[in-house]
Every structure is written in structure tokens, then in C-alpha cells.
Amino acid sequence: MPLDPMPHAPEHDPAEPGPTTPRALVTVSGADRPGVTARLFAALADPADDAPAVEVIDVEQVVVHGQLVLGVVVAVSCDEGAGVTEDDLLRHLRRLADDVAAAVDVRVEVEPAGGPEPVAAGRPHHVILLGRPVSPDAVAGAAQGIAAVGGNIDAIRRLSDYPVTSFELTVSGAEATALRTELATVAARTGTDIAVEQVGLARRSKRLIVLDVDSTLVRGEVIDELAARAGRAAEVARITAAAMNGELDFAESLKARVAVLEGLPEEVLDEVREHLVLTPGARTLIRTLQRLGFRCGIVSGGFTQITDPLAESLGLDFAAANTLEVVDGRLTGGLVGEIVDRPGKARALARFAEEYGIPLEQTVAVGDGANDLDMLNTAGLGIAFNAKPFVREQAHTALNQPYLDAVLQVLGFTRDEVLDAVP
């Protein structure tokens, strides 16, 4: 039985306003300018001789395109005793509101606030909407979906307006699985990405990110480029597509694709590497996370002859991939060493996390193919990036934007924070 150090503790702290203490909500709205908030709280702090002293219970302020909305819940101070009624409090605050409104040219409204706010069931969540653009239909659909599973939107803020528009909704009262399922339907219908994450310190405690390479960090598939130089492009492309969709075992498909490269001169690896095109936003993502203290690296089902120089050029902390066998300057059609396949990617993530002393729950993995799924689900947050439907359905969340730095918004970073990270 759990120990109770205070078996006779009161239901609430006697030093705090109780459920019957008169309360009121003061709402300020209008053009934002310096001194509005200071003027309101100065008035609350210095009441007239016959007015009750108040305590601040809750505050929320937001500025949208220069328009301020400030809400303050106040209660009669405990020192006032039981002699002050709600009507007394409201009369005092309305006189105060008139003075503040005249002084700083804003609207100030006062209304009863009732008792303490009810505590919503379940852990709160962040719901992130991303698109270019984000349509009103997407916001309406998300709001309706949240309500349908018993959730309430407590706050909304914009995270970014470039390269994608993104908004973060703080939602209480909804169960995680039901919320994700409902919003996945909205995302599919509206074409807007919608991610769901639990509110808490864990979201901002991520410290290591692992990126897949082909069709994630870079555009296209390296194996397809090599096969084109061997005159077997169509054959290999079919095998690659089947493997990425989960229709073929990755290790066996890899061996079959590598076999067709037999006889290619080693120089083709340099040619393919020189023609790699990074996914838009890749450098911004890596640079920003590195400046925020992340360990950044790649884990690929591709080839070290390509990924190692790429990792060096981007200043990454680690890299893991397969190694093509080369004899007398030509590819043999075989591989050397352990194959980095679907389970191998997850093992590599765990190995790098252990090497840097970072718990797996503080890691992020990003990938697009079926061979990434174990890695995505091993990480604290797995993001399917422009992934096959089979992968999107099983990852923690999915992004279908063409910009890799949209990952930053899923992690909760605003556009301003990204710009601040630029040297």
C-alpha cells in the first residue's frame, strides 16, 4: 500500500482560494502596444480603499498580427475573508476596466469566472498541422475530429510560415490512439499533414536524430542510378519498389540488385556521388539541430562508398550502411560485412544512441521505406517522410511535405527559433 505522509490533508491548500471564493475573468483586446499588460496589472495591484484585494489565478496572452488578446482570472484574496461577494468583485473590476480601457485605448470586459476549471481526463497532446497552404477545411476538420473524440483545444500558435505553414494546437481530454486515428482520416481527406505528440518534457528532450539516405536525405535511390550505368535500370527499379513497399525481404532484394552491378568500374561510385541532390531543407534541418546540441547521423540500406563521404561533407556525427565489394577496381556484385537491413537499421540506431549515452526515448528517426520501420518504431519519435502508405500507417507520425526541415516543426520548433540557430 502506498505511504500517505499526510492522511488527513485538506482537499485544497488553505492558502489558496477555495472553490467558493469569488472569481472573475478580465479580457483585454485591441491593438497591441507597449504598456498594456503593465497597465492592467498595475491597476489590479493597487485597488481603491473600498475595493477587495485580488490574486491572479490564471493568465493567457496572445498577439496575432498586432492584435492583442489577454485573459486574466482573478479571485478575491484569502486575506479578505468571507465578506466579499461576487457582485462586489465584479463592480470593482468593471470600474477598473473602464480606467484601463481609457488609458491605453483597448477593450476590457469583465465576467464571472465560476469555480476552478475542471481537470481534463488524459494527458494533453500537441496536434501539429502542416501544409502549403493549410486550408480552412483542414483546420475545421482537425477541430471537428478533436471534438469527436472528446478533446478540447486549449491553445493554438503558429510555428512557421516558411517553407511550410504550420500550427500547433494544444489539446486536452482526448485519448492518444483515438485522437491519432481520427486525425489520420482528416489528413488523408484534406492533404494536410497532422502529427500528434504528447505534451511533456520528453518532446523537447530529444538529442539524437537518424536519417535514412535514399529518398529521404537525398532525392532518388542510389542503387537505381548504379543500375542505370549497368544497363539494368528497369529491372532494379521494380525490385527496389517492391522492397520499399514491404513486398520483398530487403536483404534478399538487396543482394539481387547488387548482383547486377558486377563488372562496373569503381569510378561509377564517384560519378553517382557527385550527382547526388539533397532533399530541400536537409542542410537547414541538420545545421539547426546541430546548433541545438543534437547528434546527427545517417543509417542507410545503401553503400558506404556513397554515404561516408556524404556524412563527412555534412559534418555528421555517425553513419552506417552496406559496403560494396570491389576487386581490382571493379564491383564484384557482392557485399562485404554485415548487411544493414530492416533489423540492422534498428540495431544501428540503438548502437549510436548507446555510444553517445542517449536513451532511445530521446531519439528521432526519419525514413521512407519498409526497411526503415523497425528503426522508426525503435526511436522515441519515428517520422515517415514522403513514405509509402504501408510505412505511414505504422510510423509514429508522417510528413508528406517536400521539405525535410518540416521535421523541425514536428519537434515543436518555431520558424523564429530556426532562424536564431543560423550562425
Side-chain angles (χ1 to χ4, degrees):
M1 179 180 296
L3 295 177
D4 184 355
M6 295 184 64
H8 303 296
E11 293 184 1
H12 63 84
D13 188 334
E16 297 179 356
T20 60
T21 303
R23 297 178 178 219
L25 170 64
V26 181
T27 304
V28 178
S29 59
D32 188 34
R33 58 175 59 86
V36 174
T37 304
R39 181 66 180 82
L40 173 65
F41 281 94
L44 291 171
D46 187 24
D49 292 339
D50 60 343
V54 297
E55 299 179 12
V56 178
I57 304 302
D58 195 7
V59 181
E60 189 81 25
Q61 177 172 315
V62 63
V63 177
V64 181
H65 282 271
Q67 293 297 306
L68 166 73
V69 178
L70 167 62
V72 183
V73 177
V74 298
V76 174
S77 173
C78 295
D79 297 335
E80 292 288 324
V84 180
T85 67
E86 183 179 88
D87 287 342
D88 295 333
L89 176 63
L90 293 174
R91 278 194 299 271
H92 159 59
L93 291 176
R94 284 169 181 152
R95 289 195 300 269
L96 178 151
D98 290 341
D99 293 341
V100 172
V104 290
D105 192 23
V106 292
R107 294 179 297 279
V108 185
E109 300 175 346
V110 178
E111 59 187 300
E117 293 185 25
V119 178
R123 292 286 300 276
H125 291 81
H126 292 302
V127 173
I128 304 99
L129 278 65
L130 304 99
R132 190 150 185 91
V134 174
S135 67
D137 182 47
V139 179
Q144 291 162 2
I146 290 166
V149 296
N152 184 66
I153 300 173
D154 299 328
I156 301 176
R157 66 167 180 156
R158 187 181 71 179
L159 294 177
S160 66
D161 59 358
Y162 180 85
V164 297
T165 301
S166 59
F167 301 98
E168 179 185 83
L169 286 62
T170 303
V171 174
S172 60
E175 191 273 328
T177 300
L179 185 62
R180 287 191 173 95
T181 301
E182 184 71 24
L183 294 180
T185 302
V186 176
R189 178 177 62 80
T190 63
T192 299
D193 289 338
I194 304 179
V196 178
E197 290 188 68
Q198 196 170 80
V199 172
L201 293 176
R203 187 186 189 203
R204 284 297 189 101
S205 69
K206 301 293 190 293
R207 297 166 52 201
L208 180 147
I209 188 169
V210 169
L211 301 167
D212 173 46
V213 176
D214 294 354
S215 298
T216 299
L217 181 63
V218 303
R219 290 177 166 178
E221 299 283 331
V222 166
I223 185 70
D224 292 347
E225 296 296 324
L226 293 172
R229 286 161 171 77
R232 308 283 289 275
E235 175 187 348
V236 168
R238 285 194 297 271
I239 299 173
T240 299
M244 292 300 100
N245 282 320
E247 299 166 8
L248 292 177
D249 175 75
F250 180 81
E252 293 305 314
S253 72
L254 178 63
K255 291 176 183 178
R257 287 176 289 168
V258 169
V260 309
L261 306 180
E262 182 180 1
L264 280 178
E266 187 177 13
E267 290 76 19
V268 300
L269 296 171
D270 297 328
E271 295 174 11
V272 169
R273 186 173 61 248
E274 289 172 2
H275 286 87
L276 288 178
V277 177
L278 290 174
T279 300
R283 290 187 186 277
T284 299
L285 172 67
I286 293 168
R287 178 187 63 216
T288 302
L289 293 181
Q290 286 176 329
R291 290 185 64 84
L292 292 170
F294 272 63
R295 294 290 185 175
C296 303
I298 51 180
V299 173
S300 173
F303 311 113
T304 57
Q305 289 93 337
I306 302 292
T307 59
D308 285 353
L310 177 63
E312 183 177 359
S313 69
L314 292 172
L316 300 180
D317 297 294
F318 56 86
N322 298 294
T323 300
L324 293 166
E325 185 178 51
V326 179
V327 175
D328 296 330
R330 292 191 175 272
L331 306 188
T332 68
L335 296 165
V336 178
E338 180 183 357
I339 291 180
V340 180
D341 55 4
R342 176 171 168 169
K345 283 193 164 190
R347 288 194 298 270
L349 165 62
R351 183 173 70 251
F352 290 125
E354 182 178 8
E355 178 181 333
Y356 290 108
I358 297 173
L360 283 172
E361 58 267 24
Q362 294 182 358
T363 65
V364 181
V366 185
D368 73 299
N371 66 318
D372 295 311
L373 272 172
D374 288 5
M375 178 175 75
L376 297 180
N377 289 316
T378 296
L381 176 64
I383 301 173
F385 180 73
N386 289 309
K388 318 305 182 282
F390 174 77
V391 180
R392 291 199 303 268
E393 293 167 3
Q394 298 187 52
H396 297 144
T397 194
L399 275 176
N400 295 304
Q401 305 301 321
Y403 308 102
L404 194 57
D405 52 343
V407 168
L408 294 167
Q409 276 70 67
V410 176
L411 295 174
F413 296 110
T414 67
R415 177 67 177 166
D416 288 343
E417 288 172 318
V418 174
L419 293 175
D420 286 344
V422 177

